[in-house]
Amino acid sequence: MWMFSCLLLGPILAQGEDPSVANGELTPPDLPFPPMPSKAVVGPTLADSVNSWPPKRKPLKEDAPNILLIMNDDVGYGAPETFGGPIHTPTLSKVAQHGVSYNRFHTTAICSPTRAFLLTGRNSHNVGAGQITEAASGFPGYTGTIPKSAATLAKVLSGYGYDTAAFGKWHNTPVDDLMKSGPFDQYPTGLGFSYFYGFLAGETSQYNPRLYENTNPIEPPRKPEEGYHLTEDMADQAIKFIRANRALTPDRPFFIYFAPGGAHGPHHVHKEWADKYKGKFDMGWEKLRNITFEKQKAMGWIPNSTKLTPIDPTMVKWKEIPEEQRAFQLRLMEVYAGYLEHTDTQDGKVVEELERQGLFNNTLIIYVLGDNGASAEGIHGTIDELLAENALPSAYQQQMEVLNRDFGGLDALGSQHVDKMYHSSWAWALDTPFKSTKLVAAHFGGMRTPMVMSWPKVIKHDPTPRSQFHHVCDIAPTIYEAVGVQFPTRVEGAKQMPLDGVSMVYTWNNVSVKERKSAQYFEVMGSRGVYKDGWFASVFGPRIPWAEANETRMREWNPDTDVWELYDLTRDFSQAEDLAKEMPDQVAKMKQIFLMEATANKVLPIGAGLYTIYYHPEEGPHSPLTEWKLYEGLTRIAESNAPGFHSGQNSLATIDVEISANASGVLYCVGGTAGGFSVYMDNGYLYAEYMSTLLQLSLYHKLHGSSR
């Protein structure tokens, strides 16, 4: 069912008057605008009355652009063929060839915060999104709840008359709100989108996704055996939305936020896509990085003076991978490459629909390649990402035994049967030429991503990359300026926080214009940095994303004794030369700037993002219940609102049920193929089973006859 905003809202001005002008001055409006006055004549009877509909306001300028905002997931700076990488990205190339590209554009190095930055135009901690929603805490910058004073792009644009829709990954709804009874104000439809089709969590299976349509949990329209793939489904749904808009509301422009889960783990793609890359990575990750680096320079994507940063001493080198394990590691990378190309191709289906409809010329397309850098969370490479993320043993021999015995060998990688992630050193290679990966806010490998914009009607194509320093929070102000609307003073009665971002419109047709963004902070779980007028100072932080958790390092971490790094980005594109020891006064100055930014934006206390995910998980978001009464037919209960099955936590389940001899069926369960817990009957045996791909523990008891 398609839902569209039914009100065309306008300011309190005479019909036809510029909605942003009053008494000759620009005045930010309040949203929603009240309706135009009615000219109907109301008498005692119909004979004495005249019907007249209130005229519709026109708060948008004539021929306002459609907007397509694309953002993929977990993609490194050095991944796309468009800019020198090894993976074919035809849609990114198409948009770049019709517009302009940016080679110094940044995200936050982690999922939810980047999305909050993007959708609100404010700094993520400033709107309570300093950490992923599952690891929220009570500290003001980490609550996981976007305040009404930070109206989203969708909320503002819908108030001006746009049809709005979001497709794909959301990851900005508090996990304790994930109930069929709501509240729904933090769902996409509560935050301004008229329609949503996708998933609310940080990831999901591409074959058996946990889908939502608006606020309703739904099941996929087809089965994996019928060729279903979530990213393809989302592209189809976005195309349907465009066609519905053209058919029913052609007078209203649309804003589409298209954020597929690709290429976040699990890496799921059909075999033919992965097979395209057979043999493409046989040289190993260091040589791949060298090849990419030379291509980036040859294309002019990075300055010729750029230095290639070396592999971190804590990372694994390709020569350290035993020969018998290399086929496994190579296939993991081939699947990822196929998955990213497949994702970019689905992005392209939406762009192709714009072309079919004759809308491409007047659509502002903003394509952010990734919400952060490539992910090292697969550690040593795994057929089950939960093993790596939960620090469970996952020896190569065990993994291959499972693959060969149960799933048909290496060809199963990418299928619905395994939730694979590649080796962390592949992530490092895909973040060329920078240091580090996703989850590091100190180095650009975690937070610099290619970004391109096109709007043929307005933006003249220029192949020279824009090198002004910009950030994902600059997208919203850019869209507001492009559309030509004033940002509102109030939205639905809530006074609005000022925008933290800076519009990038000034760069569209002037490649060498002086940048207008003077400062930007970065922070993820204690890893942090700050940019100021060409300088960047940073701290790596307590966590090493590509290595198993170091308990001593985490326990003894003290932010006050962190070692700071310093880079002059006017000369050092890749952060290759740390100047901290040579310029202690500049370091001290930058530390003070970070503290000021952190204080103003609710980043403090440093390390708050680790509070519930590491130091005090018992204080993380969870149901207040200690006892549940569950009934037959209850499904899709979010894990955060269900009984907990965690290490170190006991639980007692009493099952009141009538069954026959040799009964089979599930009594209750949580999780899925990659991991979970289930109590079920199988031919009269009662099983309590904990499951991961590599580890299966079960207890059973034979029941005779009927039992209650």
Side-chain angles (χ1 to χ4, degrees):
M1 179 177 179
W2 297 99
M3 300 195 308
F4 293 98
S5 173
C6 293
L7 293 177
L8 275 178
L9 305 172
I12 314 175
L13 300 166
Q15 186 176 10
E17 188 176 350
D18 185 338
S20 63
V21 178
N23 300 321
E25 297 181 0
L26 290 174
T27 56
D30 290 351
L31 297 179
F33 300 125
M36 293 284 283
S38 173
K39 294 184 179 181
V41 177
V42 179
T45 67
L46 284 176
D48 304 310
S49 305
V50 178
N51 178 56
S52 176
W53 288 100
K56 292 183 178 180
R57 294 193 182 275
K58 296 181 179 179
L60 291 170
K61 64 183 181 182
E62 287 295 326
D63 211 17
N66 302 300
I67 302 162
L68 172 60
L69 176 56
I70 300 170
M71 185 168 71
N72 299 327
D73 205 324
D74 284 8
V75 185
Y77 188 89
E81 180 186 71
T82 308
F83 300 119
I87 302 173
H88 190 43
T89 45
T91 305
L92 184 69
S93 297
K94 174 188 280 190
V95 178
Q97 289 162 5
H98 285 85
V100 294
S101 57
Y102 294 78
N103 65 0
R104 295 209 308 160
F105 183 82
H106 304 84
T107 61
T108 71
I110 193 170
C111 304
S112 302
T114 288
R115 295 161 199 277
F117 265 113
L118 178 74
L119 293 172
T120 68
R122 284 91 166 185
N123 291 323
S124 61
H125 298 77
N126 215 9
V127 296
Q131 173 58 295
I132 60 173
T133 53
E134 294 86 349
S137 66
F139 297 110
Y142 301 84
T143 61
T145 300
I146 296 175
K148 295 186 182 300
S149 57
T152 66
L153 264 168
K155 181 74 76 171
V156 173
L157 292 178
S158 63
Y160 274 100
Y162 271 78
D163 283 340
T164 58
F167 300 91
K169 174 175 170 176
W170 182 248
H171 210 194
N172 281 118
T173 298
V175 293
D176 41 7
D177 284 0
L178 299 179
M179 292 184 283
K180 292 182 180 179
S181 57
F184 300 123
D185 60 303
Q186 293 288 306
Y187 281 55
T189 51
L191 290 170
F193 287 99
S194 300
Y195 182 75
F196 172 69
Y197 188 93
F199 57 101
L200 297 175
E203 64 176 67
T204 195
S205 167
Q206 293 291 311
Y207 299 110
N208 298 285
R210 300 300 78 204
L211 277 175
Y212 279 78
E213 185 175 37
N214 300 318
T215 60
N216 302 311
I218 62 171
E219 294 303 310
R222 292 182 293 136
K223 296 180 179 180
E225 295 77 13
E226 299 171 313
Y228 180 82
H229 193 282
L230 173 59
T231 313
E232 296 174 5
D233 183 17
M234 289 187 295
D236 292 341
Q237 296 296 331
I239 290 169
K240 289 179 181 178
F241 181 86
I242 293 172
R243 292 176 179 176
N245 168 272
R246 294 295 89 192
L248 302 176
T249 55
D251 58 323
R252 299 212 292 260
F254 55 77
F255 165 48
I256 291 177
Y257 172 45
F258 193 76
H264 193 291
H267 300 160
H268 282 163
V269 73
H270 296 300
K271 182 176 178 295
E272 60 267 23
W273 289 88
D275 286 348
K276 293 183 176 187
Y277 291 90
K278 278 190 173 181
K280 300 290 187 183
F281 305 108
D282 289 0
M283 75 291 289
W285 38 71
E286 289 104 329
K287 289 185 179 178
L288 171 62
R289 189 169 162 95
N290 291 336
I291 292 169
T292 298
F293 177 66
E294 293 302 326
K295 287 183 177 179
Q296 289 173 329
K297 288 199 298 182
M299 296 176 69
W301 177 239
I302 63 176
N304 275 326
S305 60
T306 303
K307 294 181 180 179
L308 182 60
T309 56
I311 192 168
D312 190 274
T314 60
M315 289 179 173
V316 177
K317 297 179 180 178
W318 182 248
K319 68 180 181 181
E320 296 169 3
I321 301 296
E323 190 66 35
E324 67 271 16
Q325 296 184 19
R326 291 189 175 183
F328 173 66
Q329 299 294 353
L330 289 168
R331 189 58 177 174
L332 292 175
M333 180 58 198
E334 290 165 4
V335 172
Y336 175 85
Y339 186 24
L340 178 56
E341 179 181 342
H342 177 267
T343 300
D344 177 87
T345 301
Q346 307 317 305
D347 298 334
K349 289 181 179 179
V350 183
V351 175
E352 288 168 2
E353 180 64 20
L354 299 176
E355 293 175 312
R356 277 192 295 270
Q357 297 281 352
L359 302 173
F360 182 78
N361 192 54
N362 194 34
T363 298
L364 171 60
I365 301 176
I366 302 176
Y367 189 148
V368 181
L369 182 63
D371 61 344
N372 42 246
S375 172
E377 291 160 297
I379 311 294
H380 301 299
T382 179
I383 64 173
D384 185 347
E385 61 176 344
L386 293 182
L387 292 174
E389 291 178 6
N390 291 294
L392 295 172
S394 55
Y396 163 78
Q397 291 79 7
Q398 287 180 297
Q399 300 196 61
M400 289 308 303
E401 179 183 347
V402 171
L403 273 180
N404 291 326
R405 183 191 66 217
D406 298 335
F407 303 123
L410 291 178
D411 280 349
L413 296 175
S415 74
Q416 64 171 314
H417 303 296
V418 294
D419 283 4
K420 57 124 319 211
M421 282 279 284
Y422 59 12
H423 195 289
S424 57
S425 291
W426 287 124
W428 167 75
L430 293 179
D431 285 327
T432 303
F434 306 117
K435 294 182 281 190
S436 299
T437 65
K438 173 186 176 181
L439 301 181
V440 177
H443 302 143
F444 294 145
M447 56 196 186
R448 183 171 286 183
T449 188
M451 190 272 287
V452 297
M453 294 192 204
S454 75
W455 183 8
K457 182 178 178 180
V458 173
I459 302 174
K460 182 181 178 181
H461 169 59
D462 183 354
T464 306
R466 270 61 183 153
S467 293
Q468 294 84 3
F469 191 99
H470 276 289
H471 190 274
V472 69
C473 71
D474 301 330
I475 295 292
T478 301
I479 290 174
Y480 294 139
E481 183 175 352
V483 171
V485 299
Q486 286 284 300
F487 188 74
T489 304
R490 293 180 180 272
V491 175
E492 296 177 350
K495 185 177 180 180
Q496 293 299 292
M497 303 161 52
L499 297 174
D500 293 317
V502 174
S503 171
M504 293 181 282
V505 169
Y506 74 99
T507 66
W508 283 353
N509 294 313
N510 189 340
V511 67
S512 59
V513 65
K514 182 179 178 181
E515 70 185 32
R516 297 180 182 177
K517 191 175 191 71
S518 64
Q520 179 64 52
Y521 80 88
F522 299 81
E523 193 278 336
V524 173
M525 291 183 281
S527 181
R528 58 200 188 274
V530 65
Y531 172 80
K532 178 65 176 176
D533 295 332
W535 290 96
F536 192 88
S538 61
V539 166
F540 185 86
R543 299 178 77 249
I544 303 175
W546 48 86
E548 287 87 356
N550 185 319
E551 295 295 325
T552 301
R553 180 184 173 98
M554 294 295 296
R555 185 173 59 253
E556 297 180 354
W557 173 60
N558 180 355
D560 292 333
T561 59
D562 278 335
V563 176
W564 283 76
E565 304 168 19
L566 179 69
Y567 303 98
D568 179 0
L569 300 185
T570 64
R571 299 188 300 109
D572 182 8
F573 184 85
S574 61
Q575 295 179 298
E577 299 180 52
D578 180 4
L579 304 175
K581 291 182 180 179
E582 300 173 28
M583 305 182 69
D585 291 344
Q586 184 66 23
V587 173
K589 178 181 177 181
M590 295 296 289
K591 287 172 66 175
Q592 186 61 32
I593 292 171
F594 176 82
L595 181 60
M596 292 172 57
E597 292 288 324
T599 302
N601 289 285
K602 306 175 186 174
V603 178
L604 304 179
I606 297 300
L610 293 167
Y611 188 81
T612 62
I613 201 171
Y614 183 81
Y615 295 114
H616 293 282
E618 76 280 2
E619 296 185 37
H622 65 279
S623 171
L625 299 178
T626 57
E627 183 176 314
W628 288 258
K629 290 186 177 181
L630 303 178
Y631 300 90
E632 183 179 1
L634 283 176
T635 61
R636 298 291 295 272
I637 304 171
E639 187 176 358
S640 55
N641 295 312
F645 297 98
H646 307 290
S647 298
Q649 178 176 320
N650 295 324
S651 62
L652 172 66
T654 302
I655 305 172
D656 185 9
V657 61
E658 292 185 358
I659 55 174
S660 60
N662 301 319
S664 296
V666 175
L667 297 171
Y668 69 90
C669 66
V670 61
T673 303
F677 186 83
S678 181
V679 175
Y680 63 96
M681 300 292 299
D682 186 9
N683 197 31
Y685 284 88
L686 175 65
Y687 287 83
E689 186 171 283
Y690 165 80
M691 175 70 177
S692 76
T693 305
L694 295 180
L695 180 64
Q696 179 173 319
L697 303 174
S698 61
L699 300 172
Y700 63 89
H701 179 68
K702 181 71 173 178
L703 298 181
H704 298 280
S706 298
S707 176
R708 181 175 176 82

